[in-house]
Amino acid sequence: MRSFLVRGLVALAGVLAVSASLAQPGKALRMIVPFPAGGTADILPRVLAEKMRAAYPGGVVVENRAGAGGNIGAEFVARSDPDGGTLLASPPGPIAINHHLYKSLSFDPTKWVPVTVLATVPNVLAVSTKLPVNTLAEFIAYVKANPGKVSYASQGNGSTSHLTAGMFMELTGTKMVHIPYKGTAPALVDIVGGQVDVFFDNISSSAPFHQGGKLKILAVADDQRSNILPQVPTFEEARLPGMIAVTFFSVVAPPGTPAAVAEAHQKQFAAALQNPEVKQKFAEQGAVARGWTPERTAQFIRAESGRWSKVIQSANVKVE
């Protein structure tokens, strides 16, 4: 009974801490997106922000602080007060990957306080319409016939698009040239314009361009086809098993944030993710809404971190 009361008081303290910190006049919940506007990493938090404002008297503000593979925005959040007022909303890079790539970081990703996973989105193989290929088999044959001549874009050094390309090259014994960009949007501009040949993008960003005939999506890096592009096969269906690469978008709090505060935030995110309009907008992005608890989020991030660490080592991916 005493243990139950203690847990209840701790949870109540967390809720009150969040309410107190965010009820201050003019103080809003700040969600820092460490990548530029325009990509899925930016779109999903903004969709949620619209539905969460009522729960935060000061409002909800989404800010873009891009650069260094997400590390600039992450450092800002890591140094923020652990009072529940500032959170990091990000793809895997600064949460589960970058500490395996960079020799040193100004923050420790293992110290993040997990809040929730907003969504998971499968990566896809998108190619320029200028490439004379229409299937995965044709693409692999083309890259093998042109070693070191095919260029691939990424959202930045160490991003999931970079690592997914590394995984692909290791599995197929091919070699391509890496062209890192500062986020999804500029990479898409150049693949559509033909300045770069390939982009292992998440499906939500590339699908509209595929549907509009601006690029070609040849395969989905998931264990099943996507509902928004049901005609596109998975890599396994196209006879390249092992090509599984799913981008996740999670929310974490600065080191030292009380667990009860993270739990209070998670409840707000989970409630917003149940909104039919939010579900629809996420589905349009090819994103599977999650809203997991901090505990499940922590387990998932550890597993993903371990998986991408192995990819980095086996494919010899390096930050350029």
Side-chain angles (χ1 to χ4, degrees):
M1 183 66 178
R2 179 178 296 176
S3 176
F4 175 79
L5 289 174
V6 169
R7 288 197 300 270
L9 289 172
V10 169
L12 177 60
V15 173
L16 293 175
V18 172
S19 300
S21 66
L22 299 179
Q24 297 175 24
K27 185 166 184 178
L29 170 64
R30 302 174 74 188
M31 283 197 283
I32 305 300
V33 175
F35 293 93
T40 309
D42 177 68
I43 293 172
L44 299 185
R46 292 186 187 278
V47 169
L48 286 171
E50 295 178 4
K51 302 302 180 184
M52 293 174 62
R53 296 187 192 282
Y56 296 90
V60 180
V61 176
V62 178
E63 297 180 15
N64 300 91
R65 290 178 176 263
N71 292 337
I72 291 177
E75 178 184 357
F76 175 82
V77 175
R79 294 184 176 183
S80 298
D81 292 334
D83 61 359
T86 303
L87 303 175
L88 180 69
S90 175
I95 294 175
I97 295 175
N98 289 359
H99 56 302
H100 300 302
L101 283 168
Y102 292 81
K103 292 183 179 179
S104 63
L105 293 174
S106 57
F107 62 95
D108 184 354
T110 66
K111 301 297 184 182
W112 293 122
V113 176
V115 175
T116 192
V117 171
L118 301 179
T120 55
V121 181
N123 286 344
V124 296
L125 167 58
V127 303
S128 168
T129 56
K130 293 184 178 181
L131 287 189
V133 300
N134 291 297
T135 66
L136 177 61
E138 291 176 355
F139 174 69
I140 293 173
Y142 181 83
V143 178
K144 286 185 175 180
N146 296 274
K149 296 180 180 179
V150 176
S151 60
Y152 71 94
S154 78
Q155 298 136 344
N157 288 316
S159 62
T160 52
S161 56
H162 182 192
L163 299 183
T164 303
M167 180 192 298
F168 173 83
M169 288 186 288
E170 183 188 22
L171 288 173
T172 58
T174 55
K175 182 176 178 59
M176 298 185 290
V177 179
H178 182 208
I179 310 294
Y181 288 81
K182 294 181 179 180
T184 297
L188 281 172
V189 168
D190 274 8
I191 191 172
V192 168
Q195 283 76 41
V196 68
D197 300 316
V198 183
F199 186 21
F200 286 89
D201 189 22
N202 58 68
I203 196 170
S204 52
S205 301
S206 289
F209 295 96
H210 170 83
Q211 293 162 333
K214 303 296 185 181
L215 54 73
K216 296 178 285 189
I217 293 179
L218 304 183
V220 177
D222 204 352
D223 57 3
Q224 59 186 358
R225 296 192 182 197
S226 170
N227 290 332
I228 64 172
L229 291 179
Q231 75 280 13
V232 178
T234 65
F235 276 94
E236 183 168 3
E237 289 176 319
R239 300 185 179 180
L240 186 60
M243 267 298 295
I244 300 291
V246 177
T247 298
F248 67 91
F249 299 87
S250 59
V251 176
V252 295
T257 300
V261 172
E263 291 168 3
H265 278 309
Q266 183 270 334
K267 287 180 172 58
Q268 297 300 332
F269 282 107
L273 286 166
Q274 292 302 310
N275 183 288
E277 185 178 348
V278 169
K279 286 185 175 181
Q280 177 61 31
K281 289 184 177 180
F282 271 45
E284 290 171 357
Q285 292 290 319
V288 179
R290 299 300 185 183
W292 294 334
T293 64
E295 293 78 15
R296 184 173 180 183
T297 297
Q299 293 171 357
F300 179 79
I301 289 174
R302 284 195 297 270
E304 285 292 292
S305 180
R307 187 164 70 88
W308 287 115
S309 174
K310 292 178 181 177
V311 170
I312 290 167
Q313 294 176 14
S314 62
N316 195 30
V317 176
K318 296 180 180 179
V319 172
E320 300 163 3

